Amino acid sequence: MKKSIFYHAGCSVCVSAEQDIIALIGADKVEVVNLAEHRNQIEEAEKAGIKSVPALVTTNGNVLHINFGASLADVKG
Amino acid sequence: MKKSIFYHAGCSVCVSAEQDIIALIGADKVEVVNLAEHRNQIEEAEKAGIKSVPALVTTNGNVLHINFGASLADVKG
């Protein structure tokens, strides 16, 4: 089964949103990527259309930016 | 079963997010409120902590602001 991907950067806003998203969608339906720990996936996140984290990329490729933790520029910097 | 509540205001960003949220969570688990049509619920949305729409209030009361369609001030104005 294709999963949604939740990108975050370890910030408090991200962690809170992650818990909510997992509770809503189910842990088995979402892959969680911490871009602060996996910096090699930042480019993949940008290509998916992500401008800030936390964000959820749905299985059909739509990006839902959730609340506002950090811009990708800040994650890269 | 307690449902999450998805507040929106009919804007294109809102409608797109609504479709994604329903696909993710399931239509039976989310109540959808269009604040542009149900202006009497704007105060309830504000009390829930909503600053902009589209936004999802989870069953435990957390608010997830999704993307950015319109501020509540704009919906009221």
Side-chain angles (χ1 to χ4, degrees):
Chain A
M1 186 186 64
K2 203 172 173 190
K3 293 184 181 188
S4 299
I5 306 175
F6 181 81
Y7 289 98
H8 71 103
C11 58
S12 59
V13 170
C14 294
V15 171
S16 170
E18 177 186 338
Q19 292 169 342
D20 290 331
I21 290 292
I22 286 176
L24 286 167
I25 306 177
D28 56 329
K29 291 181 185 163
V30 57
E31 178 185 343
V32 176
V33 175
N34 183 336
L35 291 176
E37 293 174 355
H38 300 281
R39 301 180 60 83
N40 59 321
Q41 289 183 258
I42 292 177
E43 189 178 344
E44 153 197 318
E46 283 184 315
K47 283 184 181 165
I50 287 177
K51 307 291 184 196
S52 63
V53 285
L56 186 74
V57 180
T58 67
T59 53
N60 60 9
N62 287 351
V63 178
L64 297 175
H65 291 97
I66 298 164
N67 293 341
F68 189 85
S71 70
L72 274 200
D74 290 335
V75 176
K76 283 195 270 186
Chain B
M1 185 186 65
K2 204 172 172 190
K3 292 184 180 186
S4 300
I5 306 175
F6 181 80
Y7 290 97
H8 70 106
C11 59
S12 60
V13 169
C14 294
V15 171
S16 170
E18 177 186 339
Q19 292 170 342
D20 289 331
I21 290 292
I22 286 176
L24 285 168
I25 305 177
D28 56 330
K29 291 181 186 164
V30 58
E31 178 186 343
V32 176
V33 175
N34 182 336
L35 291 176
E37 293 174 354
H38 300 281
R39 301 180 59 82
N40 59 321
Q41 289 184 258
I42 292 176
E43 190 179 343
E44 151 198 319
E46 283 183 315
K47 283 184 181 164
I50 288 177
K51 308 291 185 196
S52 64
V53 286
L56 186 74
V57 180
T58 67
T59 54
N60 60 9
N62 287 351
V63 179
L64 297 175
H65 292 98
I66 299 163
N67 293 341
F68 190 84
S71 70
L72 275 200
D74 290 335
V75 176
K76 284 195 270 187

